[in-house]
Amino acid sequence: MTALATLSLDLPDEIATQTLAHQLAPLAIDRPRDAPADAPPGPAAGGRIHLRGDLGAGKTTLVRALLRAAGITGRIKSPSYALLESYKISNLYFYHLDFYRFSDPREWLDAGLRDIVRHDALVLIEWPERAQGLLPPPDLDVELVYAGEGRRAQLTAFSARGQAWLTALNTPDAASPSPRKPPPGGA
């Protein structure tokens, strides 16, 4: 996989993580930021987002906030035990997967999950590294690492779609959290 763009963000608290999700949601569902919450997703909605980080780093917090911002109502459960939670708004499916419990990378294939990793759905995968290269590249990879009381988010685009999302997130109207250039040498 070749990274096309990277954006690093300081997320000092859970609210900053939720703010990032609220900024990303309209991009992923192709809905203008000022559209009503019940507006249907646009024609370019969908994509794949991989979420990486230690236990408790904020992956599920980010997913829940993104799904809420996209218009999902009702209970949003973690798929830690079920492997998959799915939702639908209008003609867009949302799939939230968690591979934490996988001990063999082929388990996601054995579970029959290959067919839902589609471009016309929004697919959010926690612990994608547990599939060890069997997944197609994400549009956006989000790595959350502990940084004192907060987190540091490293967002990396691997497609034109992901690159467009990062460009939109890195604009002046994308208020807090504030983007920063990655330090020399990467992370």
Side-chain angles (χ1 to χ4, degrees):
M1 291 190 302
T2 301
L4 301 178
T6 300
L7 179 64
S8 294
L9 302 169
D10 288 322
L11 305 172
D13 54 28
E14 187 173 329
I15 292 170
T17 300
Q18 293 168 344
T19 299
L20 173 60
H22 283 255
Q23 292 169 347
L24 187 56
L27 304 171
I29 63 171
D30 190 30
R31 183 190 296 156
R33 289 180 197 258
D34 58 352
D38 61 349
R48 288 183 309 278
I49 300 174
H50 291 179
L51 298 111
R52 298 180 299 114
D54 290 337
L55 285 171
K59 298 176 299 293
T60 302
T61 296
L62 192 137
V63 170
R64 282 186 174 135
L66 191 149
L67 292 172
R68 284 274 177 245
I72 302 295
T73 58
R75 186 170 181 215
I76 297 175
K77 300 186 298 183
S78 171
S80 291
Y81 291 100
L83 300 181
L84 166 69
E85 294 294 334
S86 61
Y87 309 90
K88 184 179 180 188
I89 294 179
S90 186
N91 62 342
L92 181 65
Y93 284 91
F94 296 79
Y95 298 110
H96 180 194
L97 298 112
D98 187 329
F99 294 163
Y100 177 72
R101 301 205 181 284
F102 284 3
S103 58
D104 184 307
R106 293 172 300 205
E107 285 184 76
W108 86 276
L109 294 171
D110 295 341
L113 301 174
R114 180 189 301 233
D115 293 337
I116 66 167
V117 182
R118 309 166 7 175
H119 284 284
D120 62 344
L122 184 58
V123 182
L124 307 155
I125 302 175
E126 295 185 44
W127 299 94
E129 63 274 15
R130 301 276 171 117
Q132 293 183 0
L134 295 175
L135 294 170
D139 294 300
L140 187 66
D141 181 85
V142 179
E143 182 177 16
L144 299 168
V145 295
Y146 287 96
E149 294 295 314
R151 306 293 185 267
R152 181 123 180 106
Q154 183 87 12
L155 291 81
T156 306
F158 289 98
S159 71
R161 177 183 280 179
Q163 190 171 17
W165 293 347
L166 288 188
T167 299
L169 287 172
N170 200 17
T171 60
D173 65 324
S176 171
S178 59
R180 288 192 183 187
K181 293 186 183 226

